[in-house]
Every structure is written in structure tokens, then in C-alpha cells.
Amino acid sequence: MKVSYNWLSESLDLSSIEPRDLAEQITLTGIEVDGVSEPGLELKNIVVGKVLKAEKMPDSDHLNLTEVDVAGDETVQIVCGAPNVKEGQKVVVALPGARLSNGMKIKKSKLRGYTSNGMICSLEELGFSDAVIPKNAEDGIYVLPEEAETGTDALPYLGLTDSFIELDITPNRADALSMRGVAFEAGAILEQNPSFTGVNLNEEPTEKVEDYVSVAVENQEDTPIYKMRVIKDLVVRESPLWLQRKLMHAGIRPIDAVVDVTNYIMLEYGQPLHAFDFDLLTSKDILVRRAKGSETLVTLDGQKRELSQGNLVITNDNVPVALAGVMGGQNTHVTEGTQTVALEAAVFESSLIRKTAQSLNLRSESSSRFEKGINLADVQNALDHAAALIASLGHGTVVTGTAQTEAAEAQSKTVVTTPQKINRTLGTNLTVNDLERIFDRLNFDSEITTEKVAVTVPPRRWDIEIEADIIEEVARINGYKNLPSTLPHSESHPGELTYSQKIGRFTRHYMESCGLSQAISYALTTSEKAGAFTLFNANPIELDWPMSEEHKALRQNLISGLLDNVQYNVARQSKSVALFELGRIFTRQEEKLPKETMHVAGIMTGSVMENSWQEAEVQVDYFTVKGILEEWFAGLGQEQSISFIPCKDLKEMHPGRTAKVMLNGEEIGFIGQLHPTISGERDLNETYVFEVNLEPFLTDSDETAVFKAIPKYPGTSRDIAFVVDETVLHENIVNVIKANSGKWLQSIRLFDLYQGDNIEEGKKSLAYSLSYVNPEATLKEEDVSSDFDQVKQALINEFKAEIR
């Protein structure tokens, strides 16, 4: 909204405040100001001149040689190229030494041997945009009215001594999309009550509006208010300079007096209007309804519009003549020959106007105001003001009465709060008198006591409805800068991570140290992906209104998202990819919200170590991923509680290279190779994954970590090699060794695994190194030998091992 300082001063006394100071005050009370412009600052030595003579320059087909009176000692000769320059016109003259808006400096010059002492200016040369220049001045100079005084400064006639405040209006403050709304806002800042010029409406008593038009609406929710007045015996002519000036500076092109008045009233009241040529209406019946699917309308911009059933249209004899609230039709628009005008003022349902403007790409000043809201109390006032002004400018008469249908009535709202609530919310100590003064500045009626604040909000502020709105008004009028600054009153506690946060941080740092990069995937995925890679049977939780099929269900695993990420990277020539994710999965609960469980998952494909002059390439395998998990469990202090059990239940995993991860006999996850079929579908080489439920590790244990000193006494070791069935698991062997090795066993290490020549088919040869340490004394040979013999016998008994 571009606010003219001079226009605003018609309703307020602004003599004590400069435009930039006013703009700053408006910003401080909550309406953002984009900037303040003063177009006349750069324009100097520009006066009103009268063309005394205008003749074609010899040997030129477009230049004119003019004699112009600028009230000096003598007339000046100016060469002018404008096609519309004529003798007797009052024009804008830039004398030598003048500077125009584009920075051009005017000098005395010669053209084809003729002296030119200045320039007769067009509006464009004075800084006006092409979009707002009146039609009769588009290709030439602008002609001032006859009453312009020769030799005086020309800038005031064009409003170029004015200042303009550009407001960035938010949707909740649509009341400030009018000069009257801004006047009330500025009045609250300056502690003034704005005063507006009354409407002098003279109606023709012998004629009634009922004899001209009859209005009706199909749906009162679509059109709560619809009114129409008739002005007859008009002569449509050019608008006076004051009206053109206001419109041009507001960014609107002057057309003619009738159209210009409707735009002027829209700027003044915020109430859009539309004028129909009454003589082009085929009957007096006006109906507002939804468009039918097959209807079309040629709008004022000359475009043929295909109307949809959601469009609201004004019809005459069931034929659309205007798009309600957006644009009029070409079949009834006002022209120079118009003698009778049917003038419309209405309130339309905002969402319909927004959808129509959006679907037809026809956003306008009118549609934006209907979208944001209209002051119901000013609909009739705006219509009466416009009718009186049109009649005055066109020497016409206003037919008595208003054709109307009203289903909505402008009503004031009473909002109640308390002084204590206001002061407690804002941190202030405002008294009853302070509050009364604030609401008086806002022009709100109020009844205030020490226990109650009852504020009557006029219809022009339809954004105020609840207690919080009133408190906001108090805050901004009293001044946001006057709100006290206080520090919170609370004890200071040193910040630290919770136990679960520590585990999460440790997990991230550990996985990154193992060469895995953290990935973050969407929690929403397809139903198929959501149900994959799970060790439980449950239907995924699907959204009622998903944004797409790819984001339809809440995930029940992390692997699916990581797998998509790996596929994306491999497709872009990243052959070795290692990722992990720390995130939540979601499972269904009966008659409850979904259960959220924290998981950690990883995925690896390609090489662990690249080929180099020093080292050979090492491919990712099952044991690479298993080793990462084992070391992570060791970091959590849970290595003694973890076991791995072969698993063939997961259809997405390789049946021979997959294991369940068990914590004290409870299943908490899985590890293994992605099924070759899935790998092939995604163009991946061997890919290994793991996923573990992190919840069992997030509860702080009562156990305290105990550090032991390094043993002072030397230990010893024994190696054992034996042959067992290839089905025997390493984990079972380790458990038997631990159970039978005595109290001095320190560690067990598998250092050889062999199948092939000299080993019976279906068998495997294993070699272990057992380390023994007595922390309190030097071990005796007989103690270690006795324990070692016990281990060998146990292996023979349990697995029928052949000791080598």
C-alpha cells in the first residue's frame, strides 16, 4: 500500500511530523514500512509554461518549433518532438539548469540550427512509470489544466512535492489497505482523531432505483452484501488533475472520470467498486451466482475466459457480465458514450475470489482486498460517495435509492479482559488511565475498571476478536520499546548430556571412526519399504492423507532408507559406500499412538581398503560389519551379553549369511548380507547391513565401571588346533572353552580356519590361541596344563573334535 503523505494530511494534522519520522513510528507500532520516496527531490527548475506558438520545424517531419511563456522577461523558444503539443496548452517546462529524474541535465542547445532553451516534459521524463500515464499523454507531453499559473513551480500540480510511504501490509491488517484505515492507524500514533470530508449526495426525487435495476444473489454465503446505485445523464470525460494525480502515484492508470472514481474510492475506503454501462444491460435483473461449466466471458483486458463452476459471476439476463470481485466484462464496460451507469458495491466470499483470481491469473488491487476482507460498515458509505462524485464530475444525477440484498450486518465486537491479564502478559504496570488513553487513541469505546476491561471494537478492525488481540493492540500503541526487559528468574544449572544423549553421541562418533558417514532419511516411505527388514509381523502405519505414494507410511526399519541412499550414490559412480543412521522407527499399538523406538542401522558395499602400492584391496564382508558391531558393543560394556544366532527368516537377507543379534537371549536386531536378488535389482555388488534396537542401551545402569590395574606378573598361552563338523559354530566353541578353562583364562583368539586338502569333506580345521594370566602370582606350568587338558577333553566330548 503506497500512502501519500499529502493525502493523509487531508484527515490528520501532520504539520509536526516529517514523512520519514511518521514512517518510523508506523514501523514501531507493527506495520512494516518498505521505504519512503520523495520523487521531487531530484527535480529542479521545472515550471509551468504556456505554449504561445507551435509550428512544424522546416526540414523535419516530427519536430515542432514552439514559443513558450514561462512568466519571464521574454518568451523562450523550445524545440519539441511531442506530436500532441498545441498552441494555448499549459505544459511542464524544464528550463536550462534543470535536472530530470533520470539524471539528465537540461542545457541550452541547438537542433538543426534552431536554439532550444529547455524541454517540454512528458510524464515519463518526470519519473512516472509507463503503466500509470494517462492514455492521452502516452505518446507525448502532459497537458496541465488551464488554471495552472504560468511561471510557477510545476511539481505541486503533479504531486511531485509529495512523499510516499510504502507499507508492507500483512493479511491480518487488511484495514490498512485504505487511506482511511491508515489515517486511523496514524491517528493512534499521533493521538489524533482523523476527520473525513462528508458526502454531499443529491438524489433525483422523481426517479427510483427500482425502475432501473433489481438485484439478487443465488447464495448469500457467497455474496453477503450486494448493492447497486444508478447515475444518469452523464457526460463521461477526463478526470480532474487532483484525481489523476492521486491515482498515478498509487500506481493506477487514469482512464476516465467514472472508472477513476471507482479506483479512488477503493483507495480511500478499501471498498472495490465496479461500474456498468446501464444502456448495455439487456434487462434490469442482476443476479450474482456461480458460473456454469460451459460459460465464457471476455474480460476488460480483451481475453476470452473459460469459466469454471467455482467462479462467482455477475449476470444480466443470465449472461455473465463480470467476474465478481476480479474484473468486469467487455460487453458492459463504460465508454465515452456512456450516459447512465449502474454502480456496484459488494462483499464477496474471500476464498472464491482468491481461487478465481489464481485460476485465471487475474490478480488485481480489487481482488486482493476482497481476499483479505472488507469493512462491512463502509460499503454503503463508499457507494454513496462514489455516486455523488461521479455525478458531480459528469454533471449527472443520482437516482433515488439503492438496489440491495444484505445477509450480513456490520456489528461492533466487545472483547473482555482484565488489567491484571494485560500487565502480566506484557510485563507492564499500566494503570486504568493508561489503558483508557490507549483505547481512545485507537478510537475504540471502552469501559475500564481495576477488575475489568471491556473494549468495543468497530467493524473497521475485523482482525480483532479475542483477548490476545486486545493485548497486542495495547503493546504496540504503548510502544514495543516500552516493554520492560527482564532476565528469567531461575536457578542456574550446569548443562550436561543425559545418559541416552551420551549413548547417541558415542554411537555417532564410533560409527564415524569406523568410516561410516551419517545419513538422515525420511520417516515417511512406501508401505512396501516400511514393512521390509523387520523381525516382527505388523502392518505399517499409513497416513489418511499422504502427500504422495512415496511418503504414505511410517517406517518400521532404517535399512530401506539407507538402501535408497546407497543405490543413489552407486548409480553416480561411488562404488564404495558406508552409511549409518540413528533414528526412530514406528510400530502400531492398539488404540494408542504409534510407539517410537530408537534404532541404529548401517550399510556397507564395495571396498573397506582400496588397492595401493602397499596394501591389497579388501572387500566388505560379513565379518567386517560384525567386527564393527562387536567393538561397538564392547564400547557399551555389553560384549559379554551379546550373541549372534544364524537366521533364515528375513526374506530380504541372504539366508546363509544373516544372524540375529541377541542381548541376554532377547532379540534386538540382525546383521548380514543383502539378498542377492535385491542387490541385483538395485545394481549393487555384495552389500552388508545391520540394524539394532538401541532402546535397551539407553537406560542408565546402576553398575559402576571398575578399572583394573595392568597385571604385574607374566602370563602364558596355549594353542590348540582341532577338526570339527563345519556346522559347529565358533560361538559355541568359545562358550565351551570358557566354561572349562579354569579361572586364569584371559582371552580366546581364533587365528586359523581351514577347509580343503587333507581335511575331510564336511569338516573344518580351527586353531585357537588361549591366553592365561594370574594377576596375583606367576602361573605354574601344572596349573595351566591341567586347565588346558580339561578344555581339550570338553571339545572332544561336546563336538567330537579331533585334536591335531
Side-chain angles (χ1 to χ4, degrees), residues 536 538-541 554 556 585-597:
F536 53 87
N539 293 327
I541 302 165
L554 288 168
Q556 293 180 316
I585 69 159
F586 304 85
T587 52
R588 190 182 299 275
Q589 296 187 101
E590 291 295 332
E591 299 181 357
K592 294 182 180 179
L593 292 174
K595 180 181 179 181
E596 299 184 29
T597 307

Side-chain angles (χ1 to χ4, degrees), residues 115-418:
T115 301
S116 183
N117 294 291
M119 174 188 287
I120 300 178
C121 298
S122 67
L123 290 177
E124 186 178 8
E125 289 162 337
L126 296 171
F128 287 90
S129 167
D130 288 342
V132 303
I133 295 175
K135 188 174 181 179
N136 60 2
E138 281 182 320
D139 301 318
I141 59 173
Y142 186 73
V143 181
L144 296 173
E146 184 60 34
E147 58 266 23
E149 187 176 346
T150 303
T152 59
D153 187 359
L155 299 185
Y157 292 101
L158 299 173
L160 292 173
T161 55
D162 199 355
S163 298
F164 301 93
I165 303 172
E166 187 75 32
L167 301 182
D168 187 5
I169 305 298
T170 52
N172 67 307
R173 287 305 308 272
D175 60 291
L177 284 173
S178 68
M179 290 301 302
R180 294 200 174 201
V182 176
F184 278 109
E185 182 69 16
I189 294 170
L190 302 174
E191 299 191 46
Q192 297 181 30
N193 288 329
S195 59
F196 306 106
T197 304
V199 178
N200 184 19
L201 177 63
N202 295 315
E203 296 178 314
E204 172 57 55
T206 61
E207 304 218 39
K208 305 293 185 183
V209 72
E210 293 82 1
D211 299 329
Y212 286 81
V213 292
S214 172
V215 301
V217 297
E218 185 178 66
N219 187 334
Q220 290 184 333
E221 292 184 359
D222 292 348
T223 313
I225 297 175
Y226 192 82
K227 297 172 179 283
M228 188 168 278
R229 271 194 173 277
V230 175
I231 306 98
K232 66 170 190 171
D233 301 332
L234 284 172
V235 177
V236 178
R237 60 185 70 193
E238 190 176 69
S239 298
L241 180 59
W242 68 266
L243 180 51
Q244 292 191 30
R245 181 173 63 226
K246 287 185 174 181
L247 294 182
M248 288 191 294
H249 285 298
I252 299 174
R253 182 197 296 273
I255 305 296
D256 57 53
V258 174
V259 176
D260 292 352
V261 166
T262 63
N263 286 326
Y264 167 74
I265 294 299
M266 178 183 69
L267 295 173
E268 173 78 13
Y269 290 86
Q271 172 65 55
L273 305 172
H274 183 67
F276 298 92
D277 187 330
F278 177 81
D279 295 325
L280 297 178
L281 299 175
T282 57
S283 75
K284 71 175 188 177
D285 296 320
I286 302 293
L287 173 66
V288 186
R289 61 168 172 80
R290 299 282 186 101
K292 300 173 183 176
S294 59
E295 289 182 308
T296 62
L297 174 66
V298 179
T299 49
L300 287 173
D301 56 2
Q303 298 293 317
K304 184 177 182 180
R305 309 286 179 178
E306 299 288 339
L307 305 181
S308 65
Q309 294 182 355
N311 300 143
L312 196 62
V313 292
I314 315 300
T315 65
N316 175 237
D317 250 357
N318 212 29
V319 176
V321 292
L323 273 170
V326 179
M327 186 175 286
Q330 203 172 50
N331 53 355
T332 56
H333 79 286
V334 174
T335 64
E336 292 181 358
T338 298
Q339 295 181 336
T340 304
V341 164
L343 187 63
E344 165 200 280
V347 176
F348 301 115
E349 207 283 315
S350 59
S351 64
L352 288 178
I353 304 304
R354 176 180 57 81
K355 291 175 182 177
T356 297
Q358 186 176 30
S359 63
L360 298 177
N361 194 23
L362 268 179
R363 303 195 67 85
S364 63
E365 292 283 345
S366 172
S367 66
S368 70
R369 284 168 170 79
F370 279 120
E371 290 174 26
K372 295 178 176 66
I374 298 294
N375 179 9
L376 303 186
D378 266 346
V379 178
Q380 186 66 50
N381 296 335
L383 181 61
D384 291 345
H385 193 163
L389 196 52
I390 289 173
S392 173
L393 297 178
H395 302 292
T397 56
V398 180
V399 173
T400 299
T402 302
Q404 60 185 350
T405 172
E406 285 187 283
E409 184 180 350
Q411 293 181 340
S412 299
K413 291 170 289 191
T414 300
V415 183
V416 178
T417 184
T418 65

Side-chain angles (χ1 to χ4, degrees), residues 43-52 66-71 75-80 85 89-100 106 116-122 125-126 141-142 144 150-155 157-158:
L43 304 175
K44 306 294 182 185
N45 209 18
I46 297 175
V47 300
V48 177
K50 182 174 182 178
V51 180
L52 302 179
T66 65
E67 292 290 334
V68 183
D69 178 14
V70 293
T75 61
V76 295
Q77 180 175 276
I78 298 176
V79 177
C80 178
V85 64
Q89 291 174 333
K90 293 288 183 70
V91 293
V92 180
V93 178
L95 297 174
R99 188 179 297 275
L100 302 183
I106 304 302
S116 183
N117 294 291
M119 174 188 287
I120 300 178
C121 298
S122 67
E125 289 162 337
L126 296 171
I141 59 173
Y142 186 73
L144 296 173
T150 303
T152 59
D153 187 359
L155 299 185
Y157 292 101
L158 299 173

